Amino acid sequence: MKNFANSLFHCLILVAFVITSATAQQSTLTVPVIEDGQAQAIEEFSNSEEWIRHDLWVETEFDTDGDGELDRMHVAVTRPAQTENGDLKLPVIYETSPYYAGTARPPYDFFWDVKQELGEDPPTRKTGPEIQRRGERPIISNSHISTWVPRGFIVVHSTSPGTGLSDGSPTVGGENEALAPKAVIEWLNGKANGYTTRDGNEQVEAFWTNGNVGMTGTSYNGFLPFAAATTGVDGLKAVIPVAPVTSFYKYYRSNGLVRSPGGYLGEDVDVLYDFIHSGDESKREYNNRTVRDGIMAEGLDRNTGDYNDFWEDRNYLKKMDNYKAATLMAHAFNDWNVMPEHSFEAYKQLKEMGVPAMVYYHQGGHGGEPPHELMNKWFTRYLFEIENGVEELERAWIVREGDDRENPTAYEDYPHPNASPVTFYPTSGAPERGGLSLNQSSNQGTETLVDNYSFTGSALAQAEWTNHRLIYTTPELSDSVHISGQPSVTVTMASNKPAANLTVWVVSLPWNDGRGSQITDNIITRGWADPQNYRSLSDGEPLEPGEFYTVEFDLQPDDQIIPAGQKIGLLIFSSDKEYTLWPQPGTELTIDLDRTSFTLPVVHGADAFSGMN
């Protein structure tokens, strides 16, 4: 990785333990073996046929399936045979998931119908099919095992509440989904009970671990380590969440607007519940009635999209007071499923709290772990407690355009410390293209667009002439421009109806849709808002037709270098075919140009646009 070798405190550490092997023969084994700050594969641990694999159930502190008994989570362990006599105690890498036991199969006809008038009751949703649970004991998952067990770690997996052989109910971000991994970590530290069976009393002890636990996973599996860390549970020393949901409101809503995650039009929290509910068939009716058709039906509010107590309970950015696990956050700037604001806001808070934190970003889409080298150094530092210099490394690792994901560029931090806000103001041009200026004009008047969900945002960005969007562009860039941070937009607008969608994209033009083009060639960032929530996220109010309102909101964070020869464009339209609800076409949005602007965080600030009027 660029600058990595020069940044790392190189070390070679050998920590020796004398242990008795599984065959009762005396031997000496060196654990861990560290080179260049990383745990190396150990020959004695590398034969998978000698690994010990077993499962158990860990008792939690909650009962969410209504049977009067504390829920137990199904847990699987994979460890070297050399840990069996109890003399060798190793750290744990742990992943938990609601997906391991299977999910709903196609056809996916149980999503919400997005063809809906804003503010009205949505069409009735068809419930999902019964999930056929899959998997055989004692193996829950094989993820991470071949990577980490040879290097001296034990790998643990568990199924989330209400999935697989775990008791309870899925809640899609509810408290039990944070407390479940907390219980497993406490069991690994001798503070919770584990049992050989789901309903028996024969206990199992984790005599083979030193109690240091690291967690990782992607998407929902990335949310769960983050959620576990918010509990402050002792023993959870490090987490590497990849594309994690940190607020389910931000996953399913945007600034008061009902918005689907990219690629899953019509998904909502109850849809995901139906997708993952693979637990005990005898408990499903109670869970459906209590959670899906009770708590979720009352709280998700697809009528207004407002923030409420239901979403507050699923906002883990508000639950970080006890967070202490060292965190390597990983995400993509073009992840339009779990959008980069999730990790961006979490990382910002962790820095303010003084928790050890680092970020890795790439330019692709959903998912994508950090390079193994970086993950290894992180887990080695905090699970083996070896001083390998990881604290002295740069805090941000960003894959530059066209580079391999294994080769990020190191930066002092993210956003770039030299980035400062640059504000642009639109100049008239509808229904063709207007301009963008660094100087605010006056007396420009207004421009109007007509909503029509039939057209995608990419089609609107490329159109030379259309009344379904407004677009404003800079002159052609004479030098490349490095954007780093979170852009924002201010739109002063009027609607001819009491409710309207508002969509804003920042794009790079001319549009590159040829072979081999990347998403970063076209879309810089984007965002959505409900103008009814211009004053309050939790209390939207109908718009007075013809009255102007100023709507201010953040767009998705980004770090991108726009090459010379491109133009930066501000695209404003109403319904986003791929993300928002689809009201009947015809709503008119009128934009006050003098009171509309957007701000980009740019390395070297306005100097990067020298020569631009």
Side-chain angles (χ1 to χ4, degrees), residues 354-373:
V355 175
M358 182 182 287
V359 288
Y360 163 83
Y361 283 110
H362 63 85
Q363 302 291 340
H366 187 51
E369 291 183 341
H372 170 76
E373 182 179 350

Side-chain angles (χ1 to χ4, degrees), residues 433-503:
R433 297 180 179 181
L436 285 174
S437 173
L438 297 178
N439 301 311
Q440 188 171 15
S441 300
S442 59
N443 301 318
Q444 289 195 93
T446 62
E447 293 189 333
T448 298
L449 64 93
V450 180
D451 184 26
N452 190 335
Y453 67 80
S454 302
F455 300 94
T456 64
S458 58
L460 295 175
Q462 295 175 71
E464 294 295 331
W465 194 108
T466 177
N467 65 347
H468 297 307
R469 59 91 177 110
L470 301 174
I471 189 167
Y472 309 94
T473 70
T474 66
E476 188 175 289
L477 300 177
S478 57
D479 292 302
S480 62
V481 171
H482 186 173
I483 298 166
S484 182
Q486 187 164 39
S488 61
V489 65
T490 298
V491 178
T492 300
M493 51 147 289
S495 169
N496 69 340
K497 294 183 180 178
N501 293 319
L502 177 61
T503 301

Side-chain angles (χ1 to χ4, degrees), residues 32-340:
V33 175
I34 309 296
E35 289 184 25
D36 199 22
Q38 301 175 71
Q40 303 297 306
I42 298 169
E43 182 178 355
E44 292 87 342
F45 293 167
S46 297
N47 185 352
S48 62
E49 294 182 359
E50 296 179 356
W51 295 341
I52 297 173
R53 306 194 73 166
H54 57 95
D55 65 342
L56 66 142
W57 280 261
V58 169
E59 190 169 79
T60 68
E61 59 189 87
F62 53 83
D63 170 23
T64 52
D65 54 21
D67 63 0
E69 302 288 339
L70 294 176
D71 295 340
R72 292 184 181 183
M73 298 300 106
H74 187 213
V75 177
V77 177
T78 304
R79 53 189 173 89
Q82 292 84 352
T83 61
E84 182 62 11
N85 73 348
D87 290 335
L88 177 63
K89 299 181 186 299
L90 299 175
V92 168
I93 291 177
Y94 169 34
E95 182 175 21
T96 183
S97 175
Y99 299 134
Y100 290 144
T103 56
R105 295 180 174 230
Y108 298 127
D109 56 358
F110 53 96
F111 284 47
W112 287 94
D113 183 355
V114 297
K115 193 174 288 186
Q116 172 195 332
E117 291 305 309
L118 304 181
E120 295 185 4
D121 291 338
T124 301
R125 183 181 76 87
K126 178 181 176 181
T127 56
E130 286 289 308
I131 298 173
Q132 299 299 312
R133 183 170 60 248
R134 61 171 171 78
E136 296 181 6
R137 294 180 55 201
I139 298 172
I140 290 177
S141 172
N142 288 310
S143 66
H144 308 295
I145 292 173
S146 62
T147 299
W148 298 111
V149 172
R151 289 173 167 80
F153 298 88
I154 293 164
V155 174
V156 169
H157 295 93
S158 72
T159 50
S160 293
T163 69
L165 296 179
S166 287
D167 294 333
S169 174
T171 55
V172 189
E175 183 183 34
N176 68 329
E177 294 186 347
L179 295 178
K182 174 178 180 283
V184 174
I185 295 165
E186 288 179 330
W187 171 71
L188 290 166
N189 281 272
K191 298 177 182 178
N193 293 326
Y195 298 92
T196 57
T197 60
R198 192 171 187 172
D199 54 6
N201 296 316
E202 182 182 352
Q203 293 199 17
V204 182
E205 294 184 0
F207 59 85
W208 26 257
T209 177
N210 64 8
N212 290 346
V213 180
M215 293 187 72
T216 189
T218 299
S219 197
Y220 206 136
N221 299 9
F223 153 68
L224 294 168
F226 185 80
T230 65
T231 70
V233 59
D234 291 336
L236 182 57
K237 299 299 180 69
V239 294
I240 304 179
V242 182
V245 175
T246 56
S247 162
F248 278 87
Y249 184 82
K250 290 182 178 294
Y251 187 59
Y252 290 117
R253 307 287 184 267
S254 272
N255 303 297
L257 194 75
V258 175
R259 176 191 51 73
S260 302
Y264 299 93
L265 190 65
E267 186 187 322
D268 211 325
V269 64
D270 56 344
V271 175
L272 187 50
Y273 170 96
D274 280 345
F275 187 73
I276 64 175
H277 192 195
S278 63
D280 187 343
E281 289 83 355
S282 69
K283 304 294 178 63
R284 293 185 189 181
E285 188 280 331
Y286 173 87
N287 293 344
N288 292 343
R289 172 166 40 88
T290 305
V291 178
R292 184 192 66 195
D293 304 332
I295 296 169
M296 290 181 176
E298 294 169 8
L300 60 86
D301 185 12
R302 288 183 68 85
N303 296 65
T304 72
D306 289 354
Y307 190 77
N308 57 28
D309 290 342
F310 174 83
W311 297 112
E312 177 81 2
D313 289 342
R314 287 160 174 75
N315 184 356
Y316 286 80
L317 295 168
K318 296 284 191 72
K319 300 182 180 185
M320 294 178 64
D321 289 349
N322 297 318
Y323 199 114
K324 58 190 178 186
T327 301
L328 168 55
M329 195 72 73
H331 219 134
F333 287 121
N334 295 285
D335 186 347
W336 305 115
N337 181 352
V338 181
M339 300 193 188

Side-chain angles (χ1 to χ4, degrees), residues 413-434:
D413 205 354
Y414 178 75
H416 194 295
N418 293 333
S420 58
V422 179
T423 300
F424 297 86
Y425 303 93
T427 59
S428 59
E432 299 178 272
R433 297 180 179 181

Side-chain angles (χ1 to χ4, degrees), residues 468-599:
H468 297 307
R469 59 91 177 110
L470 301 174
I471 189 167
Y472 309 94
T473 70
T474 66
E476 188 175 289
L477 300 177
S478 57
D479 292 302
S480 62
V481 171
H482 186 173
I483 298 166
S484 182
Q486 187 164 39
S488 61
V489 65
T490 298
V491 178
T492 300
M493 51 147 289
S495 169
N496 69 340
K497 294 183 180 178
N501 293 319
L502 177 61
T503 301
V504 171
W505 288 15
V506 180
V507 297
S508 180
L509 298 172
W511 197 270
N512 182 357
D513 59 356
R515 280 189 167 187
S517 65
Q518 303 293 318
I519 193 168
T520 49
D521 292 338
N522 303 320
I523 301 172
I524 298 173
T525 186
R526 45 188 165 187
W528 305 261
D530 183 349
Q532 293 184 112
N533 294 90
Y534 74 101
R535 278 201 295 213
S536 168
L537 195 60
S538 59
D539 190 18
E541 57 187 74
L543 305 175
E544 186 68 34
E547 183 174 334
F548 280 86
Y549 300 85
T550 297
V551 186
E552 299 176 296
F553 57 100
D554 291 328
L555 307 178
Q556 292 300 314
D558 193 34
D559 193 291
Q560 186 173 338
I561 297 174
I562 312 301
Q566 291 291 105
K567 298 178 181 180
I568 295 174
L570 175 68
L571 174 67
I572 302 173
F573 57 113
S574 185
S575 298
D576 190 327
K577 184 178 179 66
E578 298 169 303
Y579 294 90
T580 70
L581 300 179
W582 295 358
Q584 188 71 22
T587 300
E588 294 183 359
L589 299 187
T590 300
I591 308 301
D592 183 337
L593 295 180
D594 293 346
R595 294 189 288 164
T596 294
S597 63
F598 85 105
T599 299

Side-chain angles (χ1 to χ4, degrees), residues 4-24:
F4 204 95
N6 293 333
S7 304
L8 181 69
F9 171 67
H10 297 284
C11 59
L12 175 62
I13 303 175
L14 302 178
V15 181
F17 295 90
V18 177
I19 71 165
T20 303
S21 72
T23 60

